[in-house]
Amino acid sequence: MSDNLNYEQLSSEYNLLMNVLEVSVSKHLADEHFTCIWANDYYYQMIRYSKEEYEARFHNHPDEFFANNPEGWQIITEKVRASIANRENSCTAYIPMLYPNGEKYWVKLKSVYTDEYIDGCRVSYTTMTDITEMMQTRLEKEQHFQRVFEQVSQEQDMLMSALNVSVSKHLMDEHFTCIRANEFYYQLIGYTKEECHSIFHDHVDEFFANNPDSWNILHKKIEATIADNDDSYSVFLPMYYPNGSVYWVKLVGFFTDEYIDGRQVTYATMVNVTDMLQIQKERTIAYDNIPGFIVKYRVTPDSLLMLEASDRIRNLFDVKDPSSADPLRVLAPESRELMQEQFSHLRSREHFEATLHMKDKSDQDRWFQASFSCIDTIAADPVYLAVFIDITDVTVLRELRCKLEERTEMLNNALDKAEKANLAKSDFLSRMSHDIRTPMNAIVGMTKIAFSHIKEPEKMEDCLKKIELSSQHLLSLINDVLDMSKIESGKITPNISPMLLPELIENVVIIMQPDIKAKNQQFSVRLQNVIHENIYCDALRLRQAFINILSNACKFTPMGGSIAMDIEECAAEEADRAVYTFTFADTGIGINPEFVDKIFDAFSREYDSRMEQAEGTGLGMAITKKVMDMLGGTVSVESQVGRGTTFTVVLPVQIGRITPADIQLPHARVLIADADREVCESSSRFLEECGIPADWAVSGHEALSKAEEAHASGGDYRAVILDGQLTDISGVDTARLIREKTGDASPILAISAYDWSDIEPAAKAAGVRGFLQKPLFRSTLAASLKKYLLDQDTDQTEDVQKQSFDFTGKTFLLADDNELNREIAEVLLTSTGAVIDSVCNGFQCVEKFAGSPEGYYNLILMDIQMPQMNGYTATQKIRDLSRSDARTVPILAMTADAFSEDIEAAMAVGMNAHLAKPLDINLVIRTISRFLNR
């Protein structure tokens, strides 16, 4: 009796515990209904039927309960059958469920089979927990990953289309079905995506129905590649446009390890080579029409091997197979001797011309003017193209000689240009293919890893960060290619406007800090005689050039190395101009001497075992050189292998006026401590020019000693400025020691070229009152001393930014045809309190604004490239409306067109500012704030 009571008590307590933990527990028979013979209270709470309703409506039969949810029931039955067939003692499944009102929810179901049998049916226990929130989170993350992947794929397609390269993805089925292709694929074949789908059903064999010869060539090439166990192939194919005209393509395909529906996936690229083949055809025609013949030779150490020859050689000499013929056999003795004497020169790839005496197949004497030009090598043997002009008929010799020289030069130039162009393009495409696939591989790989760790937030965050970094790298490759294309075509013009040199340098330092910090490199920025900080220049292009140089310095400088940037101002001949010299020196691996002269060539990149991990387009330095030429400056380089590289930029600019109030300082005695003697001397010199006595030290102990001496004499320093890293002890330790010895008499300021957030808590605890960013421009030093000595805070940026972030009560009109771009802008701007009205094109934007009450919209964000009506036209129509706010409402261009001529075009139609995509949200908010607070 007591055992039964104990059992019932334990069962009651167990049920109570499961209910508290919100876990459903039920007992079932393994019959055709999976009959429920017992369940705890939470089982009925979870399915939202009472025990009585469940028994009355479903007779305790789960299959009847799942009658309106066949998907869930199928998952359960398949899992149970599989586990029983595999003789497993349990099974787990994730099941979609339906509440009585039809609302969907998810549960995790786990069944454990016991050794108990009732009426011959095995008994199992089942637990269910609600995982609806987890499944929703997983769905949202999967959707996010899909959007990221689609965006990166779109950027890759854009790059390939810009390079006129078709990229397509196919299944290895009987149709070679195309499942994805970039925009240029459809441009190349002459059909739209919709036409390919409706006419050919995306089947490549149907596209080739009117071109069976090319289809057979491609089909046989793929079969041969598979038979040879190769993973790639290439083939030249004639193709037909819809109007019947013929063009030629070079198709390169490679197989992947991906399978879809059991079919292997392959990628194919196509390039239009019609022009190249036309050049070859024209060259052949030219060869066949010259009064003579052309031969391609391989020059071995002791003989000439004939590789190819034009057909006319067979009419003159008894030559059936050029590859087995002896070229010296037809020469007269004196000409044979001459050719043998030239072997050493030909082996040295020297150009050679001579008149050669030969015997034709009729044993008649003939004289030929021969011109040998080295065009290639095979192994270590030079390959020559030799042109032989028949000058036997002396009466036409002079006329032929003139034509010969002209035509030979033309042919050689055409051949040289074609070969160089093809080589440069092939090399660039090969390199870009590798550099693009590297971040793409990281993106695809990290996406798969993230999906496999969907329940691990830390792992997911790590994957997202790496995907973001790889996306930024891919975007930088695209930007380099587009920038170089714009510069080369002369479509970029400098935007010369007032700018602050300290602000530019600060931006460059902030951008470079993460990479430099990651490699634990020492970075310093030093000023020499920099008096004028307001200059006129293109800040965007100048920053781009500096970042290109510093990125290379960081990339090719090893861990723990050093990078220094020196800025010097020199007077120019004109009073309102100055010459600035920016020197970038690193202790990196250096550049090989033979590559130094090529470093500013487009697409050039040094191939060196020391740089296997370095990636890039080879455009960074070419863009830097073009920018400097455009701005009227120069850039030069000096380098020693193993010791480092120095880039020097010399830039003459117009300077702004110095306002005396900007550098007026209180009378005070200041101590400066920095490990760099030049920083100490330049800062002290500036302070003394302003009437402030300044002492300096290069070590922490020296600074401490000077501070103690001043304190002991009753003349404490009014301010102490300490570098974060001194020669002996850190700046934080020096500050603490000064506080211990002298008390709080002097405010201590810390200076650093790095982000000081890592040392800020320790620095403040040691008595540091403020932080200064290197380099110490005069304005920076003056503003800091005013702030901490006179409580005159000249930098109100932080307060302004805090105020400008609150746009509550403001209504913005957003026009963008891209749904994803609209979503990003809406989310970011809504977080500031603003109300956002969105439209999809310029026509809707004009209509929306015209239909609103006057003053309703505080600001308009306008994309440029939109269907029906672009942003330029929409802006003009808004400005022309007959209402008071039409000419005053701020209109900001928000577009991927980011060149200076695009900015000028936006301003010309009445826009107020230009924001480049991808959007920098901080810049967007600051710009909006500037117009709202006017």
Side-chain angles (χ1 to χ4, degrees), residues 409-424:
E409 183 179 3
M410 178 188 69
L411 291 174
N412 287 337
N413 289 340
L415 181 63
D416 184 58
K417 288 180 180 179
E419 289 174 346
K420 286 182 178 179
N422 287 334
L423 181 62

mmCIF file of all heavy atoms in Angstrom, residues 409-424:
data_model
loop_
_atom_site.group_PDB
_atom_site.id
_atom_site.type_symbol
_atom_site.label_atom_id
_atom_site.label_comp_id
_atom_site.label_asym_id
_atom_site.label_seq_id
_atom_site.Cartn_x
_atom_site.Cartn_y
_atom_site.Cartn_z
ATOM 1 N N GLU A 409 56.861 47.143 -90.807
ATOM 2 C CA GLU A 409 56.655 47.879 -89.555
ATOM 3 C C GLU A 409 55.199 47.792 -89.089
ATOM 4 O O GLU A 409 54.918 47.604 -87.911
ATOM 5 C CB GLU A 409 57.058 49.340 -89.747
ATOM 6 C CG GLU A 409 56.933 50.160 -88.460
ATOM 7 C CD GLU A 409 57.361 51.604 -88.658
ATOM 8 O OE1 GLU A 409 57.700 51.972 -89.803
ATOM 9 O OE2 GLU A 409 57.334 52.357 -87.680
ATOM 10 N N MET A 410 54.285 47.922 -90.072
ATOM 11 C CA MET A 410 52.864 47.844 -89.730
ATOM 12 C C MET A 410 52.515 46.471 -89.161
ATOM 13 O O MET A 410 51.824 46.357 -88.141
ATOM 14 C CB MET A 410 52.025 48.116 -90.979
ATOM 15 C CG MET A 410 50.512 48.008 -90.745
ATOM 16 S SD MET A 410 49.587 48.096 -92.294
ATOM 17 C CE MET A 410 50.079 46.524 -93.041
ATOM 18 N N LEU A 411 53.022 45.418 -89.832
ATOM 19 C CA LEU A 411 52.720 44.063 -89.360
ATOM 20 C C LEU A 411 53.331 43.790 -87.995
ATOM 21 O O LEU A 411 52.687 43.209 -87.110
ATOM 22 C CB LEU A 411 53.233 43.038 -90.385
ATOM 23 C CG LEU A 411 52.493 43.000 -91.726
ATOM 24 C CD1 LEU A 411 53.196 42.040 -92.682
ATOM 25 C CD2 LEU A 411 51.045 42.567 -91.526
ATOM 26 N N ASN A 412 54.564 44.206 -87.838
ATOM 27 C CA ASN A 412 55.223 43.980 -86.541
ATOM 28 C C ASN A 412 54.529 44.744 -85.415
ATOM 29 O O ASN A 412 54.344 44.226 -84.312
ATOM 30 C CB ASN A 412 56.691 44.392 -86.625
ATOM 31 C CG ASN A 412 57.521 43.407 -87.446
ATOM 32 O OD1 ASN A 412 57.134 42.247 -87.592
ATOM 33 N ND2 ASN A 412 58.641 43.866 -87.971
ATOM 34 N N ASN A 413 54.141 46.000 -85.701
ATOM 35 C CA ASN A 413 53.434 46.786 -84.685
ATOM 36 C C ASN A 413 52.085 46.175 -84.350
ATOM 37 O O ASN A 413 51.690 46.089 -83.177
ATOM 38 C CB ASN A 413 53.246 48.231 -85.161
ATOM 39 C CG ASN A 413 54.544 49.004 -85.182
ATOM 40 O OD1 ASN A 413 55.509 48.624 -84.519
ATOM 41 N ND2 ASN A 413 54.585 50.089 -85.946
ATOM 42 N N ALA A 414 51.365 45.765 -85.413
ATOM 43 C CA ALA A 414 50.050 45.166 -85.181
ATOM 44 C C ALA A 414 50.186 43.875 -84.381
ATOM 45 O O ALA A 414 49.413 43.606 -83.456
ATOM 46 C CB ALA A 414 49.348 44.895 -86.514
ATOM 47 N N LEU A 415 51.183 43.075 -84.753
ATOM 48 C CA LEU A 415 51.403 41.821 -84.046
ATOM 49 C C LEU A 415 51.800 42.068 -82.595
ATOM 50 O O LEU A 415 51.295 41.419 -81.666
ATOM 51 C CB LEU A 415 52.494 41.018 -84.768
ATOM 52 C CG LEU A 415 52.837 39.650 -84.171
ATOM 53 C CD1 LEU A 415 51.636 38.725 -84.244
ATOM 54 C CD2 LEU A 415 54.030 39.031 -84.916
ATOM 55 N N ASP A 416 52.698 43.044 -82.420
ATOM 56 C CA ASP A 416 53.167 43.353 -81.067
ATOM 57 C C ASP A 416 52.029 43.877 -80.200
ATOM 58 O O ASP A 416 51.865 43.467 -79.048
ATOM 59 C CB ASP A 416 54.288 44.394 -81.154
ATOM 60 C CG ASP A 416 54.888 44.690 -79.795
ATOM 61 O OD1 ASP A 416 55.386 43.754 -79.138
ATOM 62 O OD2 ASP A 416 54.879 45.856 -79.390
ATOM 63 N N LYS A 417 51.216 44.779 -80.775
ATOM 64 C CA LYS A 417 50.094 45.327 -80.012
ATOM 65 C C LYS A 417 49.085 44.242 -79.663
ATOM 66 O O LYS A 417 48.574 44.190 -78.549
ATOM 67 C CB LYS A 417 49.411 46.446 -80.804
ATOM 68 C CG LYS A 417 50.223 47.726 -80.888
ATOM 69 C CD LYS A 417 49.477 48.783 -81.688
ATOM 70 C CE LYS A 417 50.288 50.072 -81.773
ATOM 71 N NZ LYS A 417 49.584 51.107 -82.581
ATOM 72 N N ALA A 418 48.783 43.385 -80.635
ATOM 73 C CA ALA A 418 47.800 42.328 -80.381
ATOM 74 C C ALA A 418 48.287 41.367 -79.302
ATOM 75 O O ALA A 418 47.529 40.980 -78.409
ATOM 76 C CB ALA A 418 47.503 41.570 -81.671
ATOM 77 N N GLU A 419 49.572 41.008 -79.398
ATOM 78 C CA GLU A 419 50.113 40.070 -78.413
ATOM 79 C C GLU A 419 50.169 40.687 -77.020
ATOM 80 O O GLU A 419 49.831 40.046 -76.017
ATOM 81 C CB GLU A 419 51.503 39.609 -78.856
ATOM 82 C CG GLU A 419 51.470 38.685 -80.072
ATOM 83 C CD GLU A 419 52.857 38.358 -80.588
ATOM 84 O OE1 GLU A 419 53.813 39.061 -80.167
ATOM 85 O OE2 GLU A 419 52.989 37.428 -81.386
ATOM 86 N N LYS A 420 50.594 41.969 -76.951
ATOM 87 C CA LYS A 420 50.652 42.629 -75.642
ATOM 88 C C LYS A 420 49.263 42.808 -75.052
ATOM 89 O O LYS A 420 49.057 42.625 -73.856
ATOM 90 C CB LYS A 420 51.355 43.985 -75.777
ATOM 91 C CG LYS A 420 52.857 43.885 -75.975
ATOM 92 C CD LYS A 420 53.495 45.268 -76.054
ATOM 93 C CE LYS A 420 55.016 45.156 -76.209
ATOM 94 N NZ LYS A 420 55.647 46.495 -76.322
ATOM 95 N N ALA A 421 48.301 43.205 -75.932
ATOM 96 C CA ALA A 421 46.932 43.398 -75.436
ATOM 97 C C ALA A 421 46.349 42.092 -74.929
ATOM 98 O O ALA A 421 45.737 42.031 -73.851
ATOM 99 C CB ALA A 421 46.051 43.977 -76.546
ATOM 100 N N ASN A 422 46.551 41.015 -75.703
ATOM 101 C CA ASN A 422 46.020 39.718 -75.272
ATOM 102 C C ASN A 422 46.701 39.238 -74.006
ATOM 103 O O ASN A 422 46.066 38.676 -73.102
ATOM 104 C CB ASN A 422 46.207 38.677 -76.384
ATOM 105 C CG ASN A 422 45.247 38.897 -77.534
ATOM 106 O OD1 ASN A 422 44.184 39.469 -77.344
ATOM 107 N ND2 ASN A 422 45.613 38.447 -78.719
ATOM 108 N N LEU A 423 48.025 39.452 -73.919
ATOM 109 C CA LEU A 423 48.769 39.023 -72.734
ATOM 110 C C LEU A 423 48.308 39.793 -71.509
ATOM 111 O O LEU A 423 48.073 39.223 -70.440
ATOM 112 C CB LEU A 423 50.264 39.232 -72.967
ATOM 113 C CG LEU A 423 51.188 38.812 -71.808
ATOM 114 C CD1 LEU A 423 51.047 37.320 -71.540
ATOM 115 C CD2 LEU A 423 52.635 39.167 -72.118
ATOM 116 N N ALA A 424 48.176 41.145 -71.660
ATOM 117 C CA ALA A 424 47.745 41.961 -70.523
ATOM 118 C C ALA A 424 46.346 41.583 -70.079
ATOM 119 O O ALA A 424 46.058 41.465 -68.884
ATOM 120 C CB ALA A 424 47.795 43.445 -70.904
#
